[in-house]
Amino acid sequence: MRYLYYNRTMSFSEKWFNRSNESLEGISTDEFIGYVQPKTQEAITMDGIRDQLDSGRPLNVKFGTDPTGPDLHLGHVVPIRVLDLFSRAGHNIDLVFGDFTAKVGDPSGRSNERPLLSDSTISENVSTFRDQVDKYFDTHTSNVKVSNNSAWLDEMSLSDVFEYLQETNLSEAVQRRDFRKRILAGKAISLAEAFYPTMMGIDSVELKTDIEIGGIDQLLNFQQTRKVQRNQGQVPEDVIMTPILEGTSGGGVKMSKSLGNYVPLNATPDEVYGKMMSIPDDIVLNYITAFAPVHTDEVSGLKQSIESRPLEMKKQLATYLAALSISNMDDGLAARERFERRFARKEFTEDDMEKLVSGSALIDSLTATGKYKSRNEIRRLAKQGGIKLDGTPVSEDEVMSTIPPAGAIITVGKRTVFCVATPEE
């Protein structure tokens, strides 16, 4: 079914979704940079990137990630949305899985060493990564080359390693803020961790990287990567660094699974939509520029739209991300329709409901569903106003004595809905 909204602002989500699937080949450098800049917190350097784009040749654009865990969230996708722009513009994309460097672990922001991962765990994480990310960036297109950095790092001899070690300044390496904190706390720093940024540089030397994309937390690693390339006689790569995404609770706290303020990449469209509707108004623009293909010229207008219609713009963002999560605009629109029916218009369809057999007191009927631990739990929910009969709260006494009629709608909490049926139905 096609869900239509006759609100003029509905065009935002549909426009973003359509743009997300359009080719960017042949557009001017200025226009392309206009799409890159809203997603960029810092660059080394934007002028260098502009010059490379002006050359007209396909550029080697690298994104590297260590597969240290199986579960990804939207925060991991922020730099990948920039990678998607370069891919759709026809450049050569190097998606590098650090199956070798994952055994060392990126020290950026770490208060201690990462646990050692097995080869089988790393391999499984790589497979999981592609499955989850493909909805936001197609890793199977012809211009995307997927590599494991063990392909070249495993082949290095000890003399090769010493060549790079001689170029690694240990006194500079331990000046990193994260290292200094660990030193002051008496915690260990392995030489392998100090060598980690250099290994990133070796990846770029191997791939002859022109531009690298990653989070702003990788700044020190990128600076070392450029130094390694220069020492190896290559032109140092330019770098685009994206901001760290705030979690769904806002407050300047980054999205993190451990904090519970995240949106998993395997979430359903309804879950994505609901999560987006929960974010604070003051981070809606950050989410739009991070994920939607927004041009620099449009940012000012978006700010005004958010200020004047914050709820509607949040719905536009939620609809777009719900659609993007399943690669179908109609599914995003349907997620909005279901959300509004449940939480705004308080309407429900038969598909939303479970049957609750009539003929018994409400507490007995609810207990029979097996959804609740005990009768006491049901009484507690009623006491808190969490059980409603046709929209009217049922008291603790009423839940024990009321026999709901057939056809009545029982809601428990915000999500559980029952339609009362006769025993014969």
Side-chain angles (χ1 to χ4, degrees):
M1 177 184 291
R2 173 72 172 177
Y3 291 81
L4 297 176
Y5 288 83
Y6 298 98
N7 185 314
R8 63 186 179 86
T9 61
M10 191 59 200
S11 61
F12 278 118
S13 58
E14 292 181 319
K15 178 172 65 176
W16 297 333
F17 186 82
N18 290 338
R19 277 187 187 172
S20 296
N21 293 283
E22 292 174 351
S23 171
L24 296 177
E25 292 190 52
I27 71 171
S28 69
T29 295
D30 285 343
E31 187 175 1
F32 185 77
I33 291 292
Y35 285 114
V36 171
Q37 282 182 322
K39 302 183 184 306
T40 304
Q41 179 168 340
E42 191 172 332
I44 311 173
T45 65
M46 195 58 77
D47 287 341
I49 293 167
R50 185 182 296 275
D51 289 342
Q52 294 205 64
L53 290 168
D54 280 340
S55 72
R57 66 182 177 86
L59 304 176
N60 296 331
V61 183
K62 169 191 164 191
F63 173 76
T65 182
D66 285 348
T68 53
D71 300 318
L72 303 178
H73 55 65
L74 276 181
H76 295 111
V77 176
V78 177
I80 290 173
R81 294 303 290 162
V82 180
L83 196 70
D84 180 68
L85 293 174
F86 280 93
S87 178
R88 290 191 287 121
H91 296 287
N92 303 319
I93 306 300
D94 283 307
L95 176 58
V96 182
F97 287 106
D99 62 332
F100 186 98
T101 46
K103 298 176 183 179
V104 175
D106 181 5
S108 300
R110 297 289 298 182
S111 59
N112 47 45
E113 291 183 83
R114 292 184 184 271
L116 187 64
L117 300 177
S118 67
D119 289 336
S120 61
T121 297
I122 291 172
S123 178
E124 183 178 344
N125 289 347
V126 168
S127 176
T128 301
F129 182 100
R130 293 190 69 177
D131 289 342
Q132 294 177 72
V133 165
D134 269 335
K135 295 182 290 186
Y136 300 90
F137 168 68
D138 189 354
T139 66
H140 295 86
T141 57
S142 59
N143 64 321
V144 176
K145 180 183 177 183
V146 180
S147 305
N148 293 334
N149 64 7
S150 62
W152 49 85
L153 293 177
D154 266 342
E155 299 301 314
M156 293 180 66
S157 66
L158 188 57
S159 61
D160 294 330
V161 173
F162 268 108
E163 178 185 341
Y164 285 100
L165 281 172
Q166 289 173 328
E167 298 169 357
T168 302
N169 189 320
L170 186 60
S171 62
E172 287 182 2
V174 296
Q175 290 306 307
R176 298 171 59 122
R177 182 184 301 175
D178 37 28
F179 281 175
R180 291 202 307 271
K181 286 183 178 179
R182 284 162 63 178
I183 291 171
L184 290 173
K187 295 182 178 179
I189 299 171
S190 71
L191 290 176
E193 288 182 284
F195 191 54
Y196 181 93
T198 299
M199 288 189 283
M200 280 183 58
I202 297 171
D203 293 347
S204 291
V205 169
E206 175 70 23
L207 299 169
K208 298 180 174 60
T209 301
D210 297 309
I211 297 173
E212 183 157 11
I213 298 167
I216 188 66
D217 58 335
Q218 297 291 304
L219 173 60
L220 295 177
N221 292 340
F222 292 144
Q223 290 174 334
Q224 179 64 16
T225 293
R226 286 167 51 83
K227 184 182 297 185
V228 170
Q229 282 185 294
R230 186 181 297 110
N231 289 340
Q232 292 298 310
Q234 291 186 3
V235 176
E237 64 186 25
D238 291 308
V239 182
I240 294 171
M241 286 167 282
T242 56
I244 303 302
L245 188 69
E246 284 186 67
T248 53
S249 57
V253 180
K254 73 175 183 178
M255 184 172 285
S256 168
K257 185 178 178 182
S258 62
L259 297 174
N261 62 350
Y262 71 108
V263 183
L265 294 195
N266 58 5
T268 67
D270 284 356
E271 290 170 336
V272 172
Y273 193 99
K275 289 279 191 180
M276 287 302 98
M277 292 304 294
S278 74
I279 68 174
D281 292 349
D282 62 358
I283 63 173
V284 170
L285 181 63
N286 295 342
Y287 271 61
I288 290 174
T289 55
F291 299 109
V294 172
H295 195 276
T296 301
D297 295 341
E298 298 171 316
V299 173
S300 177
L302 285 171
K303 287 181 180 177
Q304 294 176 10
S305 295
I306 293 169
E307 289 172 0
S308 61
R309 301 185 302 278
L311 178 59
E312 177 58 32
M313 291 305 294
K314 192 180 295 185
K315 290 178 179 179
Q316 294 297 320
L317 168 66
T319 302
Y320 168 68
L321 280 178
L324 198 65
S325 74
I326 201 167
S327 303
N328 189 298
M329 189 66 220
D330 281 351
D331 285 331
L333 295 170
R336 173 172 177 162
E337 171 67 17
R338 286 190 292 270
F339 184 91
E340 294 195 337
R341 189 170 68 239
R342 290 170 180 165
F343 300 104
R345 298 200 295 272
K346 304 301 181 185
E347 299 171 4
F348 304 94
T349 68
E350 290 185 4
D351 291 339
D352 298 319
M353 305 179 193
E354 298 182 43
K355 286 186 178 180
L356 191 70
V357 178
S358 67
S360 302
L362 188 50
I363 191 168
D364 296 321
S365 298
L366 290 172
T367 301
T369 66
K371 289 180 172 291
Y372 307 100
K373 296 178 182 178
S374 65
R375 293 167 64 88
N376 284 338
E377 180 184 4
I378 297 170
R379 292 176 62 181
R380 177 178 54 78
L381 287 168
K383 187 176 182 179
Q384 294 171 348
I387 299 178
K388 295 179 181 180
L389 171 59
D390 288 335
T392 301
V394 177
S395 69
E396 182 179 3
D397 289 338
E398 288 170 335
V399 81
M400 297 178 66
S401 60
T402 299
I403 300 176
I409 302 299
I410 308 297
T411 57
V412 182
K414 293 183 178 181
R415 296 182 179 275
T416 306
V417 186
F418 299 98
C419 179
V420 179
T422 63
E424 293 77 24
E425 288 184 283

